[in-house]
Amino acid sequence: MAGCSSGSSSSSTAAATAAATGSPTATGSPTASGSPQASPTPGQPNGGTQLQDAYQMVIANVLPSVVQITTGESLGSGIVYDDKGDIVTNAHVVGTATTFTVTLANSTTALDATLVGSYPDSDLAVIRLSSPPSGLKPASFGDSSKVQIGQITLAMGSPLGLSSSVTQGIVSAVGRTVTEPQGAGSPGATIGNMVQTSAAINPGNSGGALTNLDSQVIGINTLAATEPQTNGAAAPGIGFAIPASTITNIANQLINQGKVTNSGRAALGVTARTSFNQQFQPAGAVIVAVTPGGAAASAGLQAGDVITKIDDTQVDSLNALTTALASLTPGRHVTVTYTRGGTTKTVDVTLGELGTP
């Protein structure tokens, strides 16, 4: 997987040649006046025009809420969250910076912004405009539970520095658990319940809006899949967005409290690393330390125990353990299979909640 913040804040210099198109002219039998009579569109009458009108309506409603964020030599996107100047984006877009330059849609005026708070474990952050202009248009966020495979989506942002760009696709899958690559300002978070989309997501799209045809933001564009066989080149048509429910939960806490105390993410309460067998193959996640009072400690797990399974999910590495936990919720009862002193054991654990780092 690859994050989608751009590595350069300069505008793209790539030349694009596009055919200028207007409204298509349909031809048919001439009328008595000599004007051509339009042939009916197969299927639903005017179906193509209706879909085009729907696209244009969504773009008119949502694009003014999508901004470009510049941080040093990198750039990304963001979404206007409220009329006070709060903007939600990806944590990997802001990185370690605390000051930013923001450009609103259809504007060339650079606005100053400062960091409100960042929560890298969910790859979300909020920044605030220092002097919010009048007429800011906050986005409307949809209900994540109603997102369905096959829904048409539009992705909005600043790919490759091309501000206010829009691509289209569908929801390809829901409930994906994805691990981000590690990099500057990105700890390589594992995020659950992500929305997979076929809408093109490119560097600079990070933090932008993934919307439905009701002009609602259903996710924040976060990363694109890559193909290992092509040295990490982007895999066409496979992008991921953090769902709206996670966005609003984390953003509200960052704005109101400056930190996250209710992450909604399950935690076992351990520090662990990958365990290897005698053949030097990954064979589990060995506990290095147990958090006092945490879920693992309460269940009797100890440093040195090697976790090999969470319920029916095999755990052969630290990454596998993190991925398994990302798909679960705090308070969930799970069975942890582990080895201690060469003996395989199981224990019931009530999962805790991942707190602020």
Side-chain angles (χ1 to χ4, degrees):
M1 304 302 169
C4 50
S5 58
S6 175
S8 174
S9 61
S10 60
S11 298
S12 174
T13 57
T17 302
T21 59
S23 300
T25 302
T27 58
S29 302
T31 62
S33 64
S35 300
Q37 182 178 12
S39 301
T41 302
Q44 183 180 0
N46 300 320
T49 301
Q50 290 177 358
L51 183 58
Q52 176 176 287
D53 289 345
Y55 280 8
Q56 293 176 333
M57 179 65 72
V58 174
I59 292 168
N61 288 338
V62 182
L63 196 57
S65 303
V66 180
V67 306
Q68 179 173 295
I69 301 172
T70 304
T71 308
E73 296 183 353
S74 66
L75 64 81
S77 305
I79 304 170
V80 177
Y81 195 73
D82 56 35
D83 58 8
K84 298 177 183 178
D86 291 311
I87 295 169
V88 64
T89 184
N90 284 128
H92 77 258
V93 169
V94 304
T96 59
T98 57
T99 59
F100 315 91
T101 300
V102 173
T103 306
L104 303 182
N106 301 320
S107 172
T108 58
T109 302
L111 304 175
D112 292 331
T114 57
L115 181 68
V116 173
S118 180
Y119 189 63
D121 282 321
S122 290
D123 199 2
L124 290 170
V126 174
I127 66 175
R128 181 174 296 152
L129 295 175
S130 302
S131 299
S134 60
L136 272 182
K137 185 176 182 181
S140 173
F141 288 82
D143 184 346
S144 297
S145 67
K146 295 182 179 179
V147 176
Q148 297 181 355
I149 298 173
Q151 281 184 300
I152 293 175
T153 59
L154 298 179
M156 304 182 189
S158 300
L160 307 178
L162 300 170
S163 61
S164 299
S165 294
V166 183
T167 56
Q168 64 85 27
I170 63 169
V171 173
S172 307
V174 295
R176 294 296 199 203
T177 299
V178 181
T179 299
E180 300 179 345
Q182 291 184 338
S186 177
T190 298
I191 305 172
N193 201 33
M194 295 189 83
V195 179
Q196 181 182 326
T197 180
S198 63
I201 295 177
N202 291 292
N205 266 128
S206 279
L210 185 70
T211 73
N212 58 22
L213 290 190
D214 291 325
S215 299
Q216 297 173 326
V217 176
I218 61 173
I220 275 188
N221 307 321
T222 299
L223 72 165
T226 57
E227 296 185 82
Q229 296 85 355
T230 56
N231 296 320
I238 305 179
F240 300 94
I242 298 171
S245 60
T246 301
I247 299 167
T248 55
N249 175 42
I250 300 301
N252 286 339
Q253 292 180 71
L254 291 174
I255 292 169
N256 296 326
Q257 305 166 188
K259 63 179 181 179
V260 174
T261 57
N262 178 19
S263 66
R265 292 171 58 97
L268 192 56
V270 299
T271 300
R273 58 176 175 78
T274 300
S275 176
F276 296 87
N277 59 24
Q278 293 182 343
Q279 287 73 44
F280 301 102
Q281 298 297 317
V286 58
I287 298 175
V288 176
V290 177
T291 303
S298 299
L301 290 170
Q302 303 173 5
D305 293 341
V306 179
I307 299 171
T308 58
K309 189 184 294 187
I310 301 289
D311 283 339
D312 294 326
T313 302
Q314 294 291 332
V315 173
D316 61 2
S317 65
L318 175 59
N319 183 64
L321 175 62
T322 304
T323 301
L325 292 172
S327 64
L328 302 172
T329 55
R332 170 80 174 268
H333 300 286
V334 298
T335 299
V336 175
T337 302
Y338 65 100
T339 60
R340 178 184 295 172
T343 302
T344 299
K345 301 182 178 183
T346 61
V347 64
D348 293 330
V349 179
T350 301
L351 294 174
E353 186 165 28
L354 189 65
T356 304

